Amino acid sequence: MKRITDILCVFRIHLARLRREAGPFVLAALIFPTAMYLFAVAVSGAEEISDEKRLRFLAGSIVFSLSMTSISWLGYLLLENRFTGRLKLFATLPLAPSSYIFGVIIFALAQAALGTTTLLIVARALGVRANVSIASLSLVVLLTMLCLCGLSVSIAARARSFSEGSLLTDSLGAGLVFLAPVYYSAQAMPAALSSVSKWLPTSFAASGVQTALTGNFQAGTELLALALMTLMTLSLGFRLMRWREE
Amino acid sequence: MTTSANKSIRAQSQTSAPDVAEENVVRVRGLVKRYRDGTAANRGIDLNVRRGEVVSILGPNGAGKTTFLRQLTTELKPTSGSVEIFGVNAVAEPESAKRMMGITPQEGGVFETLTVLEHFELFARFKGLRRREARLAAFDVADELGLGAEINKRVGHLSGGQRRRILIGLALLGRPPLLILDEPTTGLDPASRQTVWKVIRHVVAEGSTVIFSTHYMEEAERLSDRIGIIESGRLAAFDTLDKLFARLERSYRVEFSDPFDPLVEKSVRYFATFAEAQEHTASEQLSEYSIARASLEDIYFALTGERFVKAEEGEGA
Ligand SMILES: Nc1ncnc2c1ncn2[C@@H]1O[C@H](COP(=O)(O)OP(=O)(O)OP(=O)(O)O)[C@@H](O)[C@H]1O
Ligand SMILES: [Mg+2]
């Protein structure tokens, strides 16, 4: 019970931040991904763009939004907590580091739900015809978020300085998306890059989201791979996050 | 030239509290902290604090006060040695130990987008208070620290001293039996400082124990039952004010200036008795001088060897 209260309090502290300073979230999770969608449609060249392509771009933008929310924005908040001494306040409390992690993950998940829903509504207004499988989409979004949050927790726990950490989270947040074949097909990639890109969590995420947007449920290896990566990054995050300094 | 009082301190590097009788709520043994870069910040500190005591920790910048306190609060892992808080091994069970402590770090950041009320309320919840109790505690603490008028203001809009009081307030929530405050009053105006003193006296009257560090001698003198002085990572002294004074062989202080050059820094000499001090002022035909009992500051400088006075040794060295 105490643990749930702790997690919810961590969540509420961060939610207050979002309520009072929503700008960065709106920009990173909504405006950029929408702009990227429009951009991808515009440069795709074809006169009459196929529904399949539109769905791929939409899936790309959703993954972009998730990545910005979980790595760039959340990573920034976690680094700020650490390097402005706020984490020291948590360290003074009988609060488990894992409760802190769960609290910020719930915060990130809430934003992911908000961001994804908004993007779907915007896409519909832009004429994208998706037949969304809510269960399937939720599962992929959940796994993607957990996996990427694990990365930002690890970076924020280990970065030696604010600038080192934010450089890492910024480049990862954008890089993971642009290295994955989300706005273009895998075939269009140079061979060397595509062998790397195949293994990125964002590639699995994009493919999972795209399947969910066509109303299908993607089981099989891709989701399993995403789940395995989630397990890895999260356990790393939980391991590295400690109140006590050596 | 070095301080003259320095040499008049009786050879006595450690003192104090026998391990018996009173209940020790804090027990520290052989505490050593060596940072990764090799800095030996604490070099074997032993100390007991009894229930209901107020203990202040003094020492120059970089002496190791924060390092010491952060090991008590479990934020920093000791290189060796043991820390017990109310019988709990704080090194092995940090969370249980923290349940009994209210902590104000020397430098802590606040959550700027929360209001004062929200900040106190949420942190009270972390300390296990129920919703209603947390709200009441939040109002109480804000009132106690003179933040009542700011209760609905965002913490980010508060002044530096007001934020400092938020950090003290967070430690007070839930009335923990042990408070550990690292320089709680640094940056506070005189009135706020007195408010904090009042709060400390109040929690002690209610049965809490307080350990705090400070650079203000007056604060240590007024508040503490015992004073610890850390110098270069060692506890150079730990005793009551009276016993610390008793260590000074020459506890009368004559401060005088050069009548021909009043801009030159004042000189200080120490004497065993008032009569000796007077005799000196007469024999030297001093025209501007003051004679006073040595203060905690004199003891502090003597122990930490920090003051380099211009005068040579007093009589009867
Ligand atoms: N993380 C760290 N890594 C390496 N050395 C450190 C670290 N933190 C503190 N030190 C060193 O340990 C020594 C003691 O520092 P500490 O912060 O305990 O001093 P302090 O007595 O609290 O000083 P102040 O009065 O300035 O607060 C100093 O020499 C400091 O440089
Ligand atoms: Mg300090």
Side-chain angles (χ1 to χ4, degrees):
Chain A
M1 191 55 210
K2 161 89 167 71
R3 195 173 171 78
I4 293 173
T5 310
D6 285 351
I7 292 172
L8 288 179
C9 287
V10 172
F11 169 70
R12 280 180 59 194
I13 286 174
H14 291 86
L15 192 65
R17 171 72 184 263
L18 182 66
R19 281 212 320 267
R20 284 158 196 164
E21 289 172 10
F25 168 72
V26 172
L27 197 68
L30 304 177
I31 296 179
F32 277 167
T34 307
M36 277 311 294
Y37 171 80
L38 295 171
F39 180 73
V41 169
V43 300
S44 72
E47 291 276 290
E48 188 55 43
I49 182 167
S50 69
D51 278 349
E52 189 265 329
K53 240 184 188 171
R54 280 177 187 274
L55 283 185
R56 180 149 58 79
F57 295 156
L58 175 58
S61 286
I62 289 177
V63 173
F64 184 28
S65 167
L66 297 181
S67 176
M68 292 308 270
T69 306
S70 59
I71 303 190
S72 301
W73 169 229
L74 187 75
Y76 177 83
L77 286 183
L78 298 179
L79 285 164
E80 198 181 60
N81 284 349
R82 180 166 157 218
F83 289 104
T84 60
R86 292 178 195 147
L87 222 49
K88 278 192 187 161
L89 288 195
F90 283 142
T92 67
L93 298 165
L95 170 74
S98 57
S99 299
Y100 171 67
I101 299 183
F102 281 125
V104 297
I105 285 180
I106 293 179
F107 171 65
L109 288 177
Q111 292 176 87
L114 185 66
T116 308
T117 312
T118 311
L119 284 178
L120 286 175
I121 294 170
V122 171
R124 171 163 290 199
L126 293 174
V128 183
R129 268 163 307 188
N131 172 25
V132 186
S133 154
I134 306 245
S136 168
L137 185 64
S138 307
L139 183 64
V140 181
V141 168
L142 176 71
L143 283 179
T144 310
M145 285 303 287
L146 291 179
C147 178
L148 301 183
C149 285
L151 280 181
S152 36
V153 169
S154 309
I155 292 172
R158 267 306 151 93
R160 279 166 301 181
S161 66
F162 201 116
S163 44
E164 182 188 85
S166 46
L167 196 66
L168 257 176
T169 51
D170 283 349
S171 35
L172 263 186
L176 278 180
V177 172
F178 292 112
L179 282 180
V182 292
Y183 290 119
Y184 44 84
S185 68
Q187 291 80 3
M189 268 193 142
L193 262 187
S194 84
S195 59
V196 176
S197 125
K198 254 198 323 227
W199 296 102
L200 295 178
T202 38
S203 300
F204 295 119
S207 144
V209 171
Q210 206 178 337
T211 312
L213 292 181
T214 57
N216 295 317
F217 190 88
Q218 186 178 46
T221 48
E222 290 187 333
L223 224 53
L224 192 70
L226 200 54
L228 277 179
M229 286 184 180
T230 301
L231 202 67
M232 268 161 34
T233 65
L234 269 188
S235 26
L236 185 68
F238 280 108
R239 247 175 98 90
L240 296 182
M241 185 67 222
R242 290 274 172 271
W243 296 145
R244 187 154 63 184
E245 286 171 34
E246 291 296 316
Chain B
M1 305 250 172
T2 169
T3 161
S4 51
N6 202 4
K7 288 175 188 147
S8 66
I9 286 270
R10 290 186 192 117
Q12 191 179 11
S13 70
Q14 281 274 335
T15 41
S16 232
D19 278 15
V20 288
E22 298 90 343
E23 187 191 350
N24 293 318
V25 298
V26 176
R27 268 177 65 98
V28 177
R29 286 290 166 277
L31 196 66
V32 171
K33 181 64 198 179
R34 185 179 292 279
Y35 286 107
R36 280 221 187 96
D37 66 357
T39 308
N42 282 175
R43 308 161 183 246
I45 293 181
D46 297 293
L47 153 153
N48 293 332
V49 178
R50 299 174 209 125
R51 189 185 288 273
E53 254 191 322
V54 180
V55 166
S56 57
I57 304 289
L58 308 179
N61 289 138
K65 303 178 297 296
T66 296
T67 302
F68 173 64
L69 294 178
R70 292 185 76 216
Q71 291 174 96
L72 300 192
T73 62
T74 79
E75 291 164 79
L76 193 63
K77 192 172 180 193
T79 305
S80 63
S82 66
V83 177
E84 269 180 29
I85 307 286
F86 291 95
V88 172
N89 179 344
V91 182
E93 297 172 64
E95 241 183 272
S96 314
K98 277 193 279 188
R99 259 181 227 122
M100 294 172 285
M101 288 189 263
I103 301 161
T104 299
Q106 180 171 5
E107 280 163 359
V110 284
F111 287 92
E112 293 169 2
T113 44
L114 297 176
T115 64
V116 173
L117 179 64
E118 287 169 335
H119 214 313
F120 283 151
E121 222 179 337
L122 286 165
F123 273 64
R125 298 283 280 149
F126 283 127
K127 292 190 176 187
L129 273 64
R130 288 167 204 280
R131 205 185 297 263
R132 245 185 76 81
E133 296 168 346
R135 180 159 273 251
L136 289 178
F139 277 108
D140 278 354
V141 164
D143 278 343
E144 262 183 313
L145 289 167
L147 290 167
E150 278 77 28
I151 194 113
N152 288 315
K153 218 169 169 177
R154 269 201 226 174
V155 173
H157 296 165
L158 298 182
S159 74
Q162 289 170 330
R163 285 180 200 212
R164 190 77 202 136
R165 277 182 276 158
I166 298 271
L167 292 182
I168 299 171
L170 296 177
L172 294 172
L173 290 164
R175 281 293 183 262
L178 174 63
L179 285 179
I180 298 190
L181 316 170
D182 197 354
E183 296 193 30
T185 60
T186 297
L188 295 190
D189 65 52
S192 309
R193 176 166 298 154
Q194 293 202 2
T195 305
V196 173
W197 294 355
K198 211 169 100 188
V199 169
I200 291 181
R201 290 199 184 102
H202 183 67
V203 298
V204 171
E206 285 181 342
S208 296
T209 306
V210 180
I211 304 176
F212 72 100
S213 70
T214 182
H215 287 296
Y216 302 106
M217 300 296 139
E218 187 199 1
E219 185 164 288
E221 267 183 77
R222 285 187 177 209
L223 287 177
S224 8
D225 297 304
R226 283 194 291 170
I227 297 167
I229 299 177
I230 294 187
E231 157 65 6
S232 304
R234 291 199 172 83
L235 195 60
F238 181 44
D239 232 323
T240 60
L241 193 58
D242 285 345
K243 286 194 180 145
L244 288 177
F245 277 138
R247 286 195 191 191
L248 279 178
E249 277 177 350
R250 285 176 280 122
S251 61
Y252 285 87
R253 181 178 201 278
V254 177
E255 201 172 310
F256 54 95
S257 46
D258 184 343
F260 301 106
D261 192 357
L263 291 180
V264 169
E265 210 187 324
K266 283 187 176 170
S267 300
V268 178
R269 286 195 194 175
Y270 294 88
F271 299 90
T273 64
F274 185 72
E276 277 176 21
Q278 264 187 326
E279 211 177 286
H280 177 78
T281 59
S283 69
E284 295 288 312
Q285 296 179 329
L286 297 177
S287 55
E288 284 181 30
Y289 63 88
S290 67
I291 303 180
R293 282 305 291 263
S295 64
L296 177 59
E297 193 165 87
D298 293 302
I299 297 170
Y300 172 86
F301 284 131
L303 280 163
T304 58
E306 276 225 327
R307 176 180 283 176
F308 294 86
V309 289
K310 287 183 145 296
E312 325 82 74
E313 286 277 301
E315 313 294 309

